Amino acid sequence: MANYDLIIIGSGPAGQRGAIYATKQGKKVAVVERMRSVGGVCINTGTIPSKTMREAVLHLSGYNYRSIYGMNYRVKERITMADLAFRVQHVIKTEVDVTEAQLSRNGVDVLYGVGSFDDPNHVRVTEDGSSQVYEAKNVVIAVGTQPAFSPKVPINGRNIINSDQVLNLPTLPKTIIVVGGGVIGVEYTSMFAALGIRVTLIEKRGRLLEFADQEIIESLSYHLRDSRVTMRLGEEVDSVEELAEGGVVAHLESKKRIQGDALLYAVGRSGNVEALNLANAGIEADSRGRIPVDKDYRTKTPNVFAVGDVIGFPSLASVSMEQGRIAVARAFNDHSAHSDPTYYPYGIYTIPEISFIGKTEEQLTDEDVPYEVGVAYYREIARGQIRGDTTGRLKIVFHRETRHLLGVHIIGEGASELLHIGQAVMALGGKLDYFIDTVFNYPTLAEAYKTAAFNGINRLGRTADGD
Ligand SMILES: Cc1cc2nc3c(=O)[nH]c(=O)nc-3n(C[C@H](O)[C@H](O)[C@H](O)COP(=O)(O)OP(=O)(O)OC[C@H]3O[C@@H](n4cnc5c(N)ncnc54)[C@H](O)[C@@H]3O)c2cc1C
């Protein structure tokens, strides 16, 4: 029987990062993957396809340049599903190749098949009806998630789809219903809207993306409405029906009837735990397939760890990678590797893009922290005018007395890249003054930090009447 220091089940970002970290420490490592290609949801159906589709949408629709050339500006007049899929398939293939090469270069064995536990030290890999058992000192579960299922929504992969199936739509619909105002639902809503598709977004909460800064989300909602998105907030779907003459109807609990050419169901995801035989490893998942872990990502069985989406929030590729690295370090009693979740950034690739770090104004208000904000609008920044994004804004939240940064919230072009400046300053304990005293390249969007800092200083000196 082959044996390993570490077996990781799942080759998504959490598994890859953990595996490579372990081989760098001289460990013998295998990754088990049930699909024919490595990379998980991240490369094959989620992050990379959706972000590539967004890039294709922005390019072909000419969306970013409409404020300069006029609302009718298009790079390509009739955008098709094939146009979008072409670019997506190209990037997926390249990313899979790069990941395979990385795993092989680092000496990681990839075992194709479905992984399951015989016991905490033995992983069975089953492919095409035959199976083989491998021994491991430590096991990391990095199996990710799949779109949640609802009996009310009969997914058919044609015109009633989940988020794994967007690129399978045979043609771009003229109208679409998106159920779910979480990150995935809102990202696809804004892409469809930028393509000129009429979208109705249904979300059962009264607000989109509750974990983000309210002012930023109000701004996003304005943009979505401006792109002719109809938002039905505080509404729940009762049933979904495919019409014989084509199209789909969503019946809401409030008795509204919403019709579209297609429907995207993007409400939650559940852990891929069914095949794992977790009980053989002494582990139990919750009702949504999430595996409980401690701060080191250890399950209640000491040599078995779980990382990535299968442990729940925040379910981001970026954070999953880090969890993979930390879990593997702990598995081999290495306590030198660490990172602070306080400084984990969030990137939401809506159109316009949103990114943030640290506390929101609402959180600081709840916690009675004396804070002030400094805001810069992209329209005040030369690069904003050059790029044609005159609606973006960057908000710094800082402590009124110490001027330490408490949060940065951005909506607009390049937000997810720009955020890392604020992240670095925050993580290094920096204050608002850093931006005042620093010279930024000109013209850049990064200058927004300086403008926002000046605005924050001005507000500190103002009276309650705003003078
Ligand atoms: C539409 C969409 C957009 C997203 N956009 C972003 C984004 O912009 N930024 C971001 O940071 N995150 C984004 N995410 C989230 C990101 O994709 C996930 O956080 C990330 O992929 C989780 O990584 P993981 O390694 O935990 O799992 P996954 O990437 O899901 O990989 C798990 C792997 O395990 C395999 N597996 C499962 N069960 C078994 C088994 N029993 N045996 C063998 N193999 C098994 C699966 O086949 C899969 O390959 C997005 C997700 C979606 C769905």
Side-chain angles (χ1 to χ4, degrees), residues 9-15 32-35 37 39-42 45-47 50-51 113-116 142-145 163-164 184 187-188 269 272 275-276 307-310 315-318 320 347 349:
I9 309 178
S11 72
V32 184
E33 175 51 59
R34 67 178 180 181
M35 305 303 280
S37 72
V41 162
C42 177
T45 52
T47 313
S50 63
K51 263 75 268 180
V114 176
S116 59
V143 292
T145 56
S163 64
D164 283 355
I184 296 172
E187 285 186 356
Y188 276 119
R269 298 181 63 90
N272 288 322
L276 287 174
V307 290
D309 283 13
V310 76
S315 297
L316 291 169
S318 50
S320 300
Y349 295 87

Side-chain angles (χ1 to χ4, degrees), residues 398-413:
F398 61 96
H399 197 285
R400 265 194 88 87
E401 284 140 27
T402 67
R403 298 191 187 192
H404 279 109
L405 255 60
L406 302 172
V408 177
H409 304 268
I410 313 175
I411 181 166
E413 177 84 4

Side-chain angles (χ1 to χ4, degrees), residues 46-305:
T47 313
I48 298 297
S50 63
K51 263 75 268 180
T52 312
M53 175 168 157
R54 179 182 186 276
E55 205 64 33
V57 167
L58 284 175
H59 171 66
L60 295 170
S61 68
Y63 185 90
N64 279 343
Y65 295 95
R66 288 188 197 158
S67 67
I68 297 173
Y69 300 118
M71 291 317 284
N72 290 329
Y73 177 72
R74 303 279 182 281
V75 170
K76 186 168 189 286
E77 211 37 64
R78 274 198 196 82
I79 302 168
T80 64
M81 215 54 222
D83 294 327
L84 304 177
F86 170 76
R87 186 157 173 175
V88 172
Q89 292 313 331
H90 169 76
V91 177
I92 291 177
K93 185 182 174 320
T94 312
E95 282 291 289
V96 168
D97 289 350
V98 167
T99 306
E100 274 174 0
Q102 258 174 1
L103 291 170
S104 135
R105 202 169 55 238
N106 284 282
V108 176
D109 288 348
V110 180
L111 312 172
Y112 286 100
V114 176
S116 59
F117 284 98
D118 276 8
D119 63 47
N121 292 99
H122 292 91
V123 173
R124 179 175 295 275
V125 180
T126 307
E127 198 190 18
D128 298 335
S130 65
S131 68
Q132 205 161 340
V133 177
Y134 299 86
E135 193 173 27
K137 289 194 188 79
N138 294 293
V139 180
V140 172
I141 303 170
V143 292
T145 56
Q146 58 190 311
F149 162 82
S150 162
K152 295 174 177 175
V153 183
I155 302 287
N156 60 23
R158 284 177 288 103
N159 57 0
I160 306 176
I161 56 169
N162 61 37
S163 64
D164 283 355
Q165 299 168 328
V166 174
L167 286 151
N168 299 351
L169 278 171
T171 53
L172 281 174
K174 288 199 168 55
T175 57
I176 192 164
I177 304 160
V178 176
V179 183
V183 175
I184 296 172
V186 180
E187 285 186 356
Y188 276 119
T189 291
S190 62
M191 282 186 243
F192 292 136
L195 287 167
I197 297 170
R198 296 291 288 262
V199 188
T200 304
L201 175 63
I202 303 167
E203 163 58 44
K204 76 171 179 191
R205 296 197 183 93
R207 208 196 114 169
L208 302 177
L209 307 170
E210 273 178 337
F211 57 100
D213 181 88
Q214 191 169 352
E215 192 183 342
I216 297 285
I217 297 306
E218 278 166 14
S219 179
L220 173 70
S221 302
Y222 167 82
H223 281 279
L224 292 177
R225 290 200 172 96
D226 197 44
S227 299
R228 306 203 298 175
V229 173
T230 304
M231 282 191 269
R232 297 281 177 207
L233 303 179
E235 297 267 17
E236 270 198 72
V237 172
D238 187 39
S239 64
V240 171
E241 176 195 356
E242 190 181 357
L243 299 174
E245 65 273 24
V248 179
V249 170
H251 300 276
L252 306 190
E253 285 184 355
S254 63
K255 307 294 176 221
K256 289 189 188 70
R257 181 183 184 278
I258 296 170
Q259 189 164 340
D261 295 334
L263 180 142
L264 167 63
Y265 184 69
V267 180
R269 298 181 63 90
S270 56
N272 288 322
V273 290
E274 327 76 51
L276 287 174
N277 287 335
L278 284 177
N280 288 348
I283 300 168
E284 220 178 304
D286 70 11
S287 59
R288 287 167 59 190
R290 287 173 305 201
I291 298 177
V293 289
D294 67 12
K295 65 174 184 9
D296 291 331
Y297 306 106
R298 200 184 293 269
T299 67
K300 66 181 190 179
T301 301
N303 74 314
V304 181
F305 294 73

Side-chain angles (χ1 to χ4, degrees), residues 314-325:
S315 297
L316 291 169
S318 50
V319 174
S320 300
M321 293 178 205
E322 188 57 6
Q323 292 171 346
R325 181 180 81 102

